[in-house]
């Protein structure tokens, strides 16, 4: 019998005899943090976003137009912009997703009343009036002090269209496109940091084979030119899940002009697309299966990194995980094609577990964009009319801010008990640490167990901590979430942390994300 099981039996017996409810267990796990061995820089781009023309993501979520009753600045909702600003979002990917491969950038420039109305054939077959286009997106990027990642159209667009879009955005002189941009209100070229050549070309982006797309990539990328100093990094459309065939084909055949290969991975509670599982009101079996499934990204990244290590030993090509997050069954009362879903404490744990994994892969993983920013899939913000709510995922992003551009620090548990339900087991705790640029140390701890707390005793090597502050995000119910009436059900709170020389002790509540800042 394990000591943990022994403790559990004793605690349960005491609870039965005294009639008190079973006190949450606090096992002690020993963790060493090797602050004397700082490693790679954790790229801030791992905390990027993805906002698509899908459902109420752009329209209603970010953009309401200047004439809206919802308080806005030049059409952008003030509440959403303020919330997003706090997150210090490094990069926003736009306009899709699947939408990207049916988008013609010329539809979204010029006077709004003259822009054509199209059908968004992927997402709900609704009208797209193009009132949010290139100028609006770049203004959003500037308002958020972020960087732009454009997803270009390979599926239904031509190399010329894609090349001209980039020229429109970056041209300096007196070319027709530079003048057109100026006539539409933008004098100076924009800085376009990243450019995706197609999206999911294995699926909605054209149902291609890796070999066919590899040739297409070379063709489109050849004509993607911009003035020196303003050339975007070019990202090929890659695979998904555990697949490596896209990374294999691209990295072994494209020898120039490819800075990265995208990869997508969505977390489904059931792992099964036709019946994914619900965002709330789910059984514990779906709590653990969601956490188990999300951590598969670790091996998906590892197998693709191995392919890159073979074909690109110098490490020039990055993996861009430009879509990740939870994907649940459609919510009742919402248009299924809009992919609106609630977001609970489980989603915050999913986010934190992903961050902890991303940190370990930062050498090859050059970017990660959660899908999606507002009102779609694992959104950081939900809106309804003039109301806004920050989701538990938002809070996870906010709590992890200190990790951006910090130096990765190795951590190791002496022993790691598992949280098990039925046939599924996951490690009880996940950890990640980093040294911040201003000389501090940050430690993130995730307790995956939905019922038991756990004490962590940390030995910190190579760092003298004078003070420690800790914030935790937790809740009573596995599906606790924020609503428009109760927007602060799930929010971070300070918790006690004990510092004694080089040792730190903290009790992590059940189902929690905790970030500790040491100075
Ligand atoms: O994020 C929703 C969709 O998921 C994207 O449009 C597509 O790229 C992926 O299949």
């Amino acid at each position: 019998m394990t000591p943990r099981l022994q403790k559990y039996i004793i605690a349960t017996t005491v609870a039965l005899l005294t009639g008190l409810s079973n006190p949450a267990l606090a096992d002690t796990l020993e963790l060493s943090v090797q602050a004397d061995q700082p490693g790679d820089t954790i790229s801030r781009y791992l905390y990027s976003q993805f906002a698509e023309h899908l459902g109420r993501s752009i329209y209603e979520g970010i953009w309401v137009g200047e004439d809206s009753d919802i308080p806005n600045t030049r059409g952008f909702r003030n509440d959403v912009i303020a919330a997003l600003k706090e997150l210090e979002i490094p990069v926003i990917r736009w306009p899709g997703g699947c939408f990207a491969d049916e988008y013609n950038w010329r539809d979204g420039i010029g006077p709004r009343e003259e822009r054509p109305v199209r059908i968004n054939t992927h997402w709900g077959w609704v009208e797209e009036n193009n009132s949010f286009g290139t100028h609006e997106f770049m203004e959003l990027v500037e308002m958020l002090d972020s960087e732009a990642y454009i997803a270009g159209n390979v599926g239904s667009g031509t190399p010329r269209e894609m090349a001209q879009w980039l020229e429109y955005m970056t041209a300096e002189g007196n070319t027709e496109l530079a003048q057109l941009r100026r006539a539409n209100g933008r004098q100076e070229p924009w800085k376009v940091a990243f450019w995706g050549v197609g999206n999911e070309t294995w699926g909605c982006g054209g149902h291609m084979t890796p070999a066919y797309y590899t040739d297409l990539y070379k063709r489109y990328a050849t004509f993607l030119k911009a003035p020196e100093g303003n050339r975007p990094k070019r990202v090929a459309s890659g695979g998904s899940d555990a697949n490596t065939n896209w990374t294999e084909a691209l990295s072994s055949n494209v020898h120039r002009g490819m800075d990265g290969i995208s990869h997508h991975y969505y977390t489904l509670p059931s792992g099964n697309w036709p019946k994914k599982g619900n965002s709330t009101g789910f059984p514990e079996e779906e709590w653990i299966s969601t956490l188990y499934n999300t951590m598969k990204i670790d091996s998906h990244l590892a197998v693709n990194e191995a392919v890159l290590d073979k074909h690109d030993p110098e490490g020039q090509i990055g993996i861009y995980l430009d879509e990740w997050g939870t994907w649940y069954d459609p919510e009742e009362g919402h248009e299924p094609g809009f992919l609106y879903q609630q977001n609970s404490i489980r989603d915050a744990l999913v986010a934190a577990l992903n961050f902890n994994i991303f940190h370990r892969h930062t050498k090859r993983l050059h970017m990660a964009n959660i899908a999606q920013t507002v009102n779609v899939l694992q959104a950081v913000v939900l809106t309804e009319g003039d109301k806004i709510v920050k989701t538990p995922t938002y809070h996870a992003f906010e709590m992890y801010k200190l990790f951006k551009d910090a130096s990765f620090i190795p951590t190791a548990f002496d022993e790691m008990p598992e949280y098990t339900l039925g046939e599924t087991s996951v490690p009880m705790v996940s950890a990640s640490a980093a040294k911040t640029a201003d000389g501090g140390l940050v430690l993130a701890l995730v307790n995956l167990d939905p019922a038991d707390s756990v004490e962590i005793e940390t030995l910190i090597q190579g760092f003298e901590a004078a003070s420690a502050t800790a914030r935790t995000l937790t809740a009573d119910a596995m599906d606790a979430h924020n609503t428009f009436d109760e927007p602060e059900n799930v929010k971070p709170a300070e918790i006690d942390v004990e510092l004694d020389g080089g040792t730190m002790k903290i009790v992590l509540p059940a189902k929690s994300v905790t970030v500790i800042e040491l100075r």
Side-chain angles (χ1 to χ4, degrees), residues 229-515:
N230 197 5
R231 295 195 180 133
K233 286 196 186 296
R234 286 172 282 186
V235 183
S237 163
S240 64
D241 305 344
N243 297 319
T244 54
N245 45 350
W246 291 78
T247 309
E248 182 69 47
L250 285 157
S251 62
S252 59
N253 288 298
V254 183
H255 302 297
R256 53 207 287 259
M258 184 175 71
D259 300 287
I261 301 175
S262 84
H263 199 83
H264 291 178
Y265 178 56
Y266 284 101
T267 301
L268 281 51
S270 68
N272 173 17
W273 283 96
K275 187 83 196 87
K276 297 178 265 298
N278 292 336
S279 63
T280 56
F282 49 81
E284 189 178 342
E285 284 74 13
E286 288 183 15
W287 166 272
I288 193 168
S289 66
T290 305
L291 303 184
Y292 178 85
N293 286 341
T294 209
M295 288 190 286
K296 288 181 183 166
I297 189 59
D298 201 3
S299 61
H300 299 346
L301 291 172
V303 287
N304 279 284
E305 284 160 2
V307 172
L308 289 177
D309 288 347
K310 189 169 59 171
H311 298 301
D312 172 40
E314 306 80 30
Q316 304 293 315
I317 304 170
I319 298 176
Y320 284 60
L321 183 65
D322 53 23
E323 289 186 28
W324 69 273
T326 51
W327 194 323
Y328 304 124
D329 286 328
E331 304 268 331
E332 252 182 57
H334 290 266
E335 157 63 48
F338 284 5
L339 310 188
Y340 176 87
Q341 62 188 38
Q342 244 315 340
N343 190 298
S344 72
I345 183 73
R346 180 179 62 173
D347 293 83
L349 267 82
V350 164
L353 290 172
N354 275 277
F355 297 152
N356 289 358
I357 292 169
F358 296 168
H359 296 168
R360 293 204 296 274
H361 291 271
T362 190
K363 207 171 177 157
R364 272 290 183 189
L365 182 61
H366 290 187
M367 191 183 290
N369 308 63
I370 194 166
Q372 299 193 5
T373 312
V374 189
N375 289 335
V376 170
L377 298 178
Q378 196 178 345
V380 292
V381 161
L382 300 175
T383 68
E384 195 176 85
D386 63 356
K387 291 189 186 150
I388 177 176
V389 79
K390 292 175 178 170
T391 65
T393 299
Y394 178 98
H395 294 303
F397 268 86
E398 186 276 319
M399 291 168 77
Y400 270 72
K401 260 164 53 172
L402 282 174
F403 279 96
K404 290 179 192 165
D405 293 331
S407 305
F408 178 84
I409 284 176
T411 52
F413 283 98
D414 259 19
E415 185 197 359
M416 176 53 63
E418 290 189 323
Y419 150 52
T420 300
L421 188 71
E423 307 273 282
T424 313
S425 293
V426 289
M428 190 171 172
V429 178
S430 156
S432 187
K435 231 175 181 169
T436 58
D438 62 358
L441 194 136
V442 57
L443 172 64
L445 296 162
V446 184
N447 180 2
L448 286 73
D449 195 311
D452 290 350
S453 61
V454 58
E455 185 180 60
I456 309 288
E457 192 172 311
T458 309
L459 183 67
I460 308 166
Q461 287 149 18
F463 185 86
E464 300 257 323
S467 69
T469 49
R471 286 198 305 154
T472 199
L473 189 67
T474 186
D476 289 341
M478 287 182 298
D479 66 347
H481 54 276
N482 295 330
T483 64
F484 297 103
D485 295 328
E486 291 182 27
E488 303 211 332
N489 265 342
V490 186
K491 64 171 184 180
E494 285 211 4
I495 55 164
D496 289 340
V497 47
E498 211 180 287
L499 202 57
D500 182 8
T503 316
M504 188 194 73
K505 272 191 190 169
I506 190 163
V507 176
L508 307 178
K511 48 177 141 33
S512 62
V513 176
T514 302
V515 175

